[in-house]
Structures are given as structure tokens and as C-alpha cells.
Amino acid sequence: MPAPIPLTLPGVEEYADACTTPDSEDLLDLARLTTAEVDRPHMMVGPVEARFLQFLLTALRPARILEIGTYTGYSALSMAQVLPADAHITTCELNEDFAAIAAKHFAASPHADKITLEVGPALDTIARLSGKFDFILLDADQPHFDHYLEPLTALLSDNGILAADNTLWSGSVLDESDHRPGADGIRRFNRAVAAHPGLVSVLLTVRDGLMLIRRK
Ligand SMILES: C[S@@+](CC[C@H](N)C(=O)[O-])C[C@H]1O[C@@H](n2cnc3c(N)ncnc32)[C@H](O)[C@@H]1O
């Protein structure tokens, strides 16, 4: 995933950061370590989107959450912070090195019991999951984003929300001549959502674009 190009006026992202409640100390530690030692730290959702997801989860009060794309665990830990003890996050990661860092931080956090980490291709993991999820964050494998739409909406509970990250793909969704795999995959996903008669969606211009989707 390339580093996202800011989609707002110069300084707006920084201003939004400054006007947003900062990360807790443990999230700051994880973000610092990821930035210093791990490949592609821009993949973390960052504090503005993390606080937005926390607001959403606080209002929704979901019992079961599914995340596609754990990376080093920043977004999963951030979501776990606002969940009651009996709520649970299943988070999926393909890369064993990233998963090992996430697992270490989950285990050291007071939210360890709320998180299950599944290592392997997420589409395989999804196929094995049973029951419904009240909130799903899709944040991985953008070249094949559209492959996740049907299996993930099938896993949504009646009032569940699917949040799809990077749905503006640094603005490259606007350029139909850009056929890089991520741009094509995101455009196919966005078109499939818009054309789906059973879904309602809103594409928020938060960070790299966050699309919220629910059943009609
Ligand atoms: C954008 S990062 C996730 C960032 C994370 N949500 C956060 O905010 O810290 C995407 C992650 O998805 C993983 N990934 C890519 N393809 C995958 C797949 N098919 N199944 C599971 N994980 C995948 C990548 O290794 C990467 O760690």
C-alpha cells in the first residue's frame, strides 16, 4: 500500500489531529514502535480515524467485531479499548511478522481477552467463521476489495455496519486511467456497493476515505 496522499487542504489533517483526543499511552507506544521499526507504518488508521471508530463503537455497542487487516494491532487495540469485557474482536492478518508484533501487544494489554488474532488469508478465515458480526472493519487486500463484499455483508447482523477503509485510495479512484491494482480494486468495490440494491452506504472523506455500509 503506497503512503496516502493528503486529500485535504495543506495543514487540515494536522489541525484535525490537534483537535482530536490523543491516543492513550499504550496506543502511542505501539504507534511509536511501529513507526520506528516496522515496514509501512502509514498503514495504521491513525488517531483521527481511531477516535472516529471508537465513537462509532461506543454508540453501536457491538458484541462481535471482525477486522480484516490487523497489521501491528493499532486499530484492533483502539477498538478494544471502548468495548465492554463481554464483547469480542476477531482480527485477521496474513503476514506472520506483523501478526507476531500484534499478538505481543494484545497479550500485554488489559484487553487481551477481547481479541482473537487469526493468521492467514482473510478470505479463508472468513469462510470458516460462523455467526453474525455487529461491526466489520475492512482494511486489507485493496486490490481484491470487491471479493470481500458478499462474504462480509453475509456476516453482518441485522443492524450491523461494514466500514471499508481506503475507499478514496489517495484520490486515485477519480482517475479512471489509473489501473494500479489497488485503484482498480477499490473502484470495483465502490461500484459494487453503489449498484447493490440491498445496501445503503456513505463514503466519508476521513483520512483515505471510510465507507460505511449497512443493509437496507
Ligand atoms: C492497512 S494494514 C491494516 C492496518 C490496521 N488496521 C491498523 O490500523 O493498524 C493492512 C494489513 O492487511 C494485511 N493483509 C493484506 N492482505 C491480506 C489478506 N489477504 N488477508 C489478511 N490480511 C491481509 C497486510 O499484511 C497488512 O498488515
Side-chain angles (χ1 to χ4, degrees):
M1 178 197 281
I5 297 166
L7 298 173
T8 48
L9 288 172
V12 166
E13 294 287 332
E14 292 76 8
Y15 186 77
D17 260 3
C19 295
T20 295
T21 303
D23 282 341
S24 59
E25 273 307 316
D26 50 350
L27 278 183
L28 277 175
D29 285 346
L30 176 56
R32 276 192 212 109
L33 174 133
T34 303
T35 304
E37 296 177 14
V38 187
D39 197 24
R40 288 173 288 158
H42 61 267
M43 293 204 296
M44 288 180 287
V45 293
V48 170
E49 192 172 336
R51 280 314 79 68
F52 177 72
L53 292 172
Q54 287 181 332
F55 262 86
L56 209 53
L57 297 194
T58 305
L60 278 173
R61 308 172 77 81
R64 294 185 81 211
I65 293 106
L66 173 63
E67 177 181 60
I68 314 299
T70 315
Y71 188 43
T72 58
Y74 175 89
S75 49
L77 261 187
S78 155
M79 292 192 284
Q81 286 180 342
V82 296
L83 295 178
D86 58 351
H88 201 83
I89 302 179
T90 300
T91 181
C92 307
E93 176 54 51
L94 179 64
N95 180 301
E96 292 186 4
D97 295 335
F98 296 156
I101 299 170
K104 192 173 133 206
H105 283 83
F106 295 158
S109 91
H111 308 288
D113 292 346
K114 298 180 198 167
I115 307 174
T116 300
L117 175 58
E118 296 279 356
V119 184
L123 284 170
D124 293 352
T125 304
I126 291 166
R128 282 188 276 107
L129 293 173
S130 56
K132 300 290 182 185
F133 290 83
D134 309 302
F135 185 77
I136 303 177
L137 177 61
L138 173 57
D139 188 17
D141 200 11
Q142 285 79 6
H144 307 110
F145 239 38
D146 51 320
H147 298 184
Y148 292 80
L149 184 61
E150 285 303 332
L152 290 184
T153 49
L155 285 175
L156 273 184
S157 61
D158 286 348
N159 294 311
I161 290 182
L162 166 62
D165 203 13
N166 306 108
T167 34
L168 291 173
W169 204 240
S170 295
S172 54
V173 285
L174 302 178
D175 179 4
E176 293 284 344
S177 70
D178 183 342
H179 292 299
R180 285 175 294 172
D184 268 340
I186 294 285
R187 268 197 303 269
R188 278 197 309 273
F189 177 87
N190 291 347
R191 276 197 298 265
V193 173
H196 198 302
L199 300 176
V200 188
S201 62
V202 55
L203 204 175
L204 303 171
T205 53
V206 174
R207 201 168 154 93
D208 195 30
L210 184 69
M211 185 182 280
L212 302 184
I213 301 159
R214 66 170 174 79
R215 287 213 205 85
K216 253 182 202 163

